[in-house]
């Protein structure tokens, strides 16, 4: 049986950015995310520059099965891919500029 491969860090970050876009596309989803994260709407862009922010977005999505399934469906991907993307990011900070 073939083991699923972990995505590259860039692919995982792309999926995390898509998750952020998914949250932002619905005011109720975004409002809940902002309330739980403590961010103000104007702070999201600056927060996104923090290397830990996009992995945290995946953590947020993974913590709510209904949200996870909806996001995965919007991407046409299995929910397990979101989990693998989060695992691919680990605790390491990634800098795409290098």
């Amino acid at each position: 049986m073939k083991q699923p491969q972990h995505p590259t860090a860039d692919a995982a970050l792309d999926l995390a950015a898509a998750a952020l876009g998914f949250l932002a596309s619905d005011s109720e989803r975004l409002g809940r995310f902002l309330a739980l994260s403590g961010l103000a709407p104007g702070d999201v862009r600056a927060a996104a520059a923090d290397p830990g922010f996009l992995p945290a977005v995946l953590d947020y999505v993974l913590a709510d099965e209904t949200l996870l399934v909806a996001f995965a469906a919007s991407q046409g991907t299995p929910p397990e891919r979101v989990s693998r993307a989060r695992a691919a990011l680990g605790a390491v900070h990634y800098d795409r500029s290098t």
Side-chain angles (χ1 to χ4, degrees), residues 25-79:
S25 71
D26 179 274
S27 61
E28 189 173 316
R29 282 191 302 249
L30 181 61
R32 187 173 186 319
F33 173 71
L34 293 174
L36 291 174
S37 68
L39 290 171
D43 296 337
V44 173
R45 187 177 301 272
D50 182 298
F53 181 73
L54 288 176
V57 170
L58 290 181
D59 288 338
Y60 175 79
V61 170
L62 287 163
D64 180 333
E65 185 175 3
T66 301
L67 183 62
L68 170 61
V69 170
F71 170 63
S74 78
Q75 296 298 299
T77 193

